[in-house]
Amino acid sequence: MNDSKQRAQKIRKLLNTYSHEYHVLDAPTVEDAVYDSLFQELKAIESQYPELVVPESTTQRVGGVPAAAFSKFEHSQPMMSLQDCFSDDEAQAWITRIKKIDSSVATTEFWVDSKKDGLACALHYQDGVLIRAVTRGDGKVGEVVTANVRTIQSIPLRLLGDHTFTKGYTEVRGEILIYKEDFEALNAQKKLKGEVLYANPRNLAAGTIRQLDPKLVAERPLKFHGYDVLRSTATEVPTNSYAYEAMRELGFITGTVAHKEHDLDNVLRYAHEFSEKRETLPYITDGLVVKIDNRELQKTLGSVGKNPRGAIAYKYPAEQATTVVRDIVIHLGRTGAATPVAVFEPVAVAGTTVKHASLHNADEIARKDIRIGDTVVIYKAGDIIPQVESVVIELRPKGAKRFNMEHVLKQQYPDEIFERAGNEVVYRMKNTNGIQLLKRSLQHFASKSALDIHTLGAKNVAALVDAGLVADLADTFTLTTAQLVALDRFADVSATKLVEAIQSKKNPPLDRFLFGLGIRHVGAQTAIDLAKVFHNLDNLGTASFKDVQAIEGVGTIVAESIMLWFEDEANQALLAKFRKLQVWPRDIKVASGKLNNRKFVVTGTLLSMSRDEAAQRIKDLGGTFQATLSKDTDVLVVGKNVGSSKLAKAAKYGTTQIDETEFKGLIV
């Protein structure tokens, strides 16, 4: 609670700063997505802890303060914002809510248009003549920018035609935009002059309208797209579709994609189609505006705060978001290169949930000064790879320490030595290379505790790798007798035996395959625990950090290591290769038998079976095989040549001790 309170206070202060920069100074320092992401986080905190809501919170007011350089004007009706909706489920929930207010929503029609990223403005006409232009401002009071708006060629100074709306008072609301092509042309000119480039079309349009010199405004390629009409008598505009029809007749540009849909299912179908089409539009859009077409019904539904109940903004995933760096861990690649990776609080960016991102190297971390506990701005490079753009310094927790790459390397890999050669920015394992790492990985993969591939020992592994026959673990299953016989180490018989031994392991037990992959911190027992919970490899590969961490014996470090392994592109390619070769671990069938819920440890030598055979029999009967004795162990199976310390430990824990004969009686 105290942590949430402090976090909320910091975010409120920062959002107020951003709002002032944007609405008053006309000099925003962050993208809209950054503001929106922090705003949503604050809303979530206040929703969880309503007692933290304060009147001055950014969530409790409609908008920012109008610029002081222009006179102010109160809107005839508030220029309200729309409730954001990011999924079909949220859209369905919206309909469910408003049906409770008016059941006729169930059969209503919807008006749909693109959500344009511009500056909202209201144009006031008296008897068809433009008399005033007012920006949105704080939603209730805007800035009068008539002289500047008059320079926009797409805005009629006198309404066209003989429509009824050319008489009396008419207000047309819309967005002032700069098209993408025009924006790129302006930036090309700036680049030739060696000047700082404009940030984005929306900010340029807003900044232009707030210029004090109309001549400068006239030089900019601004356009106006109408989206609403108001009249003194509301019944004159019965539907939103009629409003668009009227605006076109009066001489305004309206959205080319604007149209009517007969039910929400069709709205959502179109929303999915528009997700692909929106990039072809001349202007930037981040979603759709969806309104109930019937204006009387829309009025009946009323509003909640600054949001009308009868409309939503169906938005597509943001390109940017903010999240908190929970940890920075080192990922060791196949060549021995050590790469620092940020572990985040999960956050949605560009349609996917991001939990990790490469920080590349120690120099890059130092340049951006990224620390554990920091709030960072992340984005998708090329809409694919998550990256950290910057740190929100104002939200840095007290005591956050600079990241020390060498210290963390010693913590994570105490048995290895790393160095930076020459001018390289990358730390690499000393006295090793990719070939040596591959040999080490393959030996582990074939070892008795993993896939147990007979005759694939260290010398044979070295021969295969040195001959270029094996470049990764999956290549083992492509070996042929002919390839092996060509090597000095193999004759026909030995080559045939090795190929047969390898092929017999194409569908190994899940826990052995997991252990064989060499995921850091995943030992034989952890692999067993993971297999028992997730039952197959796909389930584990798509599991959440929270689900993995919740497994008994799996802490934060192990869970992070597992998540990072499965998200690594090289490892994903390796798994795809295994699957293509039809090499895949068997799914775990949830065993049920007389050993259910009992945990066993086997110590010493068993005469009638191997330890692995005993473990498998325990699992087949529903029991749990443990590698080491602990307080929760139920039964210790005592073989020959057992040390007294193990027996004393079992006695201390109160663990039941049985010999091999008694054990055989349990498993028959």
Side-chain angles (χ1 to χ4, degrees):
M1 173 67 174
N2 286 335
D3 290 344
S4 296
K5 182 178 181 180
Q6 293 175 6
R7 178 76 174 173
Q9 289 172 341
K10 289 182 177 180
I11 293 176
R12 285 192 200 103
K13 183 177 180 181
L14 191 58
L15 289 178
N16 284 334
T17 299
Y18 289 163
S19 182
H20 180 74
E21 292 169 347
Y22 182 90
H23 292 288
V24 180
L25 303 181
D26 296 329
T29 59
V30 297
E31 294 289 330
D32 289 352
V34 175
Y35 182 100
D36 292 344
S37 184
L38 291 173
F39 184 86
Q40 293 300 326
E41 182 181 349
L42 180 58
K43 282 182 66 177
I45 293 173
E46 292 180 349
S47 176
Q48 184 177 3
Y49 301 107
E51 61 269 33
L52 296 183
V53 177
V54 293
E56 66 270 24
S57 175
T58 316
T59 62
Q60 302 303 300
R61 65 179 185 178
V62 174
V65 181
F70 298 95
S71 61
K72 300 176 180 62
F73 190 89
E74 186 174 352
H75 293 296
S76 59
Q77 295 179 23
M79 294 187 73
M80 306 182 83
S81 298
L82 299 182
Q83 177 67 44
D84 288 340
C85 162
F86 293 95
S87 68
D88 291 3
D89 287 344
E90 290 184 19
Q92 294 285 2
W94 165 58
I95 292 298
T96 300
R97 287 195 302 272
I98 60 179
K99 273 183 185 177
K100 295 177 181 178
I101 299 173
D102 193 317
S103 60
S104 64
V105 168
T107 58
T108 193
E109 294 180 313
F110 299 90
W111 185 250
V112 180
D113 193 8
S114 56
K115 185 178 182 297
K116 301 166 186 70
D117 195 18
L119 175 72
C121 189
L123 308 178
H124 300 180
Y125 290 85
Q126 185 63 48
D127 293 326
V129 177
L130 179 66
I131 59 171
R132 190 181 303 107
V134 186
T135 65
R136 180 179 181 277
D138 67 358
K140 293 182 178 179
V141 177
E143 311 132 15
V144 178
V145 289
T146 313
N148 288 345
V149 165
R150 287 174 63 89
T151 68
I152 301 174
Q153 296 294 325
S154 58
I155 292 178
L157 300 182
R158 176 183 286 276
L159 298 177
L160 302 183
D162 57 358
H163 195 284
T164 305
F165 292 177
T166 59
K167 303 294 190 292
Y169 173 80
T170 300
E171 182 176 336
V172 177
R173 293 180 173 182
E175 297 278 340
I176 297 174
L177 312 167
I178 292 181
Y179 283 4
K180 292 184 286 188
E181 185 178 14
D182 294 329
F183 177 76
E184 290 167 3
L186 288 171
N187 260 348
Q189 295 174 12
K190 299 276 283 184
K191 189 173 183 180
L192 285 174
K193 296 177 183 178
E195 299 174 350
V196 177
L197 302 184
Y198 297 119
N200 56 62
R202 194 259 178 241
N203 286 358
L204 179 57
T208 299
I209 287 299
R210 292 188 177 102
Q211 294 290 327
L212 296 178
D213 184 359
K215 292 181 180 179
L216 176 61
V217 180
E219 294 174 0
R220 302 274 170 81
L222 300 174
K223 291 182 173 60
F224 180 86
H225 281 230
Y227 63 68
D228 199 8
V229 175
L230 302 180
R231 290 281 288 174
S232 300
T233 305
T235 55
E236 290 186 83
V237 190
T239 63
N240 287 303
S241 50
Y242 179 78
Y244 272 64
E245 181 184 331
M247 285 187 288
R248 294 185 189 113
E249 292 184 24
L250 295 171
F252 291 94
I253 299 172
T254 59
T256 55
V257 303
H259 68 286
K260 189 187 296 185
E261 293 286 1
H262 296 291
D263 55 42
L264 185 64
D265 288 342
N266 282 322
V267 170
L268 298 178
R269 173 192 52 75
Y270 180 76
H272 298 161
E273 294 175 1
F274 185 68
S275 176
E276 302 295 329
K277 296 177 181 177
R278 63 192 176 107
E279 297 300 329
T280 65
L281 294 175
Y283 48 81
I284 293 176
T285 173
D286 61 353
L288 290 172
V289 173
V290 182
K291 301 178 180 178
I292 286 177
D293 194 36
N294 186 307
R295 303 267 283 235
E296 184 62 31
L297 175 55
Q298 198 172 355
K299 181 180 178 182
T300 299
L301 293 171
S303 60
V304 179
K306 63 177 182 178
N307 306 131
R309 288 194 180 98
I312 58 169
Y314 188 102
K315 298 184 74 172
Y316 299 104
E319 303 287 327
Q320 288 184 320
T322 57
T323 187
V324 175
V325 179
R326 191 160 44 77
D327 201 359
I328 300 176
V329 299
I330 308 298
H331 176 64
L332 192 60
R334 293 182 183 177
T335 64
T339 303
V341 177
V343 181
F344 302 132
E345 291 294 336
V347 62
V349 183
T352 60
T353 299
V354 174
K355 293 171 282 189
H356 306 99
S358 171
L359 300 180
H360 305 295
N361 54 66
D363 289 356
E364 184 70 1
I365 295 176
R367 184 179 72 81
K368 295 180 178 177
D369 191 16
I370 302 169
R371 308 183 188 186
I372 295 173
D374 273 345
T375 298
V376 293
V377 177
I378 61 173
Y379 68 100
K380 286 283 194 73
D383 290 336
I384 298 174
I385 304 170
Q387 303 281 349
V388 174
E389 180 177 273
S390 59
V391 176
V392 184
I393 298 294
E394 296 87 342
L395 296 179
R396 172 169 286 165
K398 290 183 179 180
K401 297 179 180 178
R402 289 185 179 275
F403 182 75
N404 186 322
M405 182 81 169
E406 294 184 356
H407 177 71
V408 176
L409 281 170
K410 288 179 181 178
Q411 281 187 322
Q412 278 195 233
Y413 303 96
D415 299 327
E416 306 292 349
I417 299 175
F418 293 84
E419 63 180 357
R420 290 177 66 168
N423 295 323
E424 281 195 4
V425 296
V426 177
Y427 282 85
R428 297 182 188 276
M429 288 175 60
K430 191 175 182 180
N431 300 324
T432 191
N433 54 40
I435 297 296
Q436 290 170 306
L437 288 173
L438 174 59
K439 290 177 181 178
R440 186 187 304 175
S441 298
L442 189 51
Q443 287 174 37
H444 174 75
F445 186 67
S447 67
K448 190 172 182 179
S449 297
L451 266 67
D452 192 19
I453 302 175
H454 299 299
T455 74
L456 191 53
K459 291 182 179 180
N460 281 347
V461 164
L464 296 174
V465 174
D466 291 340
L469 295 179
V470 176
D472 58 33
L473 301 182
D475 280 344
T476 309
F477 291 88
T478 67
L479 293 171
T480 65
T481 301
Q483 288 176 318
L484 297 182
V485 169
L487 303 180
D488 292 337
R489 288 191 56 82
F490 295 94
D492 287 340
V493 175
S494 59
T496 300
K497 284 186 176 180
L498 179 54
V499 170
E500 289 177 348
I502 292 171
Q503 292 300 314
S504 71
K505 304 296 183 180
K506 292 185 72 171
N507 301 110
L510 176 57
D511 58 301
R512 285 176 169 272
F513 189 79
L514 274 174
F515 179 60
L517 290 175
I519 303 172
R520 186 160 180 81
H521 301 304
V522 176
Q525 184 59 51
T526 300
I528 291 171
D529 295 338
L530 292 168
K532 286 185 63 177
V533 172
F534 293 105
H535 302 152
N536 65 60
L537 193 61
D538 288 322
N539 287 343
L540 176 59
T542 57
S544 69
F545 174 84
K546 184 178 180 181
D547 288 341
V548 176
Q549 188 186 34
I551 297 173
E552 184 179 355
V554 176
T556 300
I557 293 175
V558 180
E560 286 175 355
S561 180
I562 293 168
M563 302 301 290
L564 289 172
W565 194 94
F566 277 98
E567 291 185 9
D568 183 88
E569 291 183 13
N571 293 332
Q572 291 175 6
L574 175 65
L575 292 178
K577 191 172 182 179
F578 272 127
R579 200 188 292 270
K580 186 175 181 181
L581 293 170
Q582 297 183 341
V583 178
W584 205 250
R586 301 192 298 270
D587 290 358
I588 295 291
K589 294 181 179 179
V590 181
S592 179
K594 58 182 180 180
L595 301 187
N596 272 3
N597 302 318
R598 300 180 70 184
K599 298 175 182 177
F600 290 76
V601 169
V602 177
T603 186
T605 304
L606 299 181
L607 301 179
S608 61
M609 67 190 79
S610 68
R611 185 189 300 267
D612 288 342
E613 289 171 336
Q616 190 60 53
R617 191 68 183 128
I618 290 169
K619 289 184 281 186
D620 289 343
L621 292 172
T624 299
F625 175 77
Q626 296 180 317
T628 57
L629 186 69
S630 62
K631 291 181 179 180
D632 65 346
T633 302
D634 297 303
V635 180
L636 176 65
V637 180
V638 182
K640 301 295 183 182
N641 304 317
V642 178
S644 59
S645 60
K646 181 70 69 71
L647 299 178
K649 190 174 183 181
K652 177 183 176 182
Y653 291 155
T655 305
T656 300
Q657 301 181 37
I658 62 175
D659 60 22
E660 184 172 352
T661 302
E662 292 173 291
F663 175 62
K664 287 169 65 177
L666 284 177
I667 62 175
V668 293

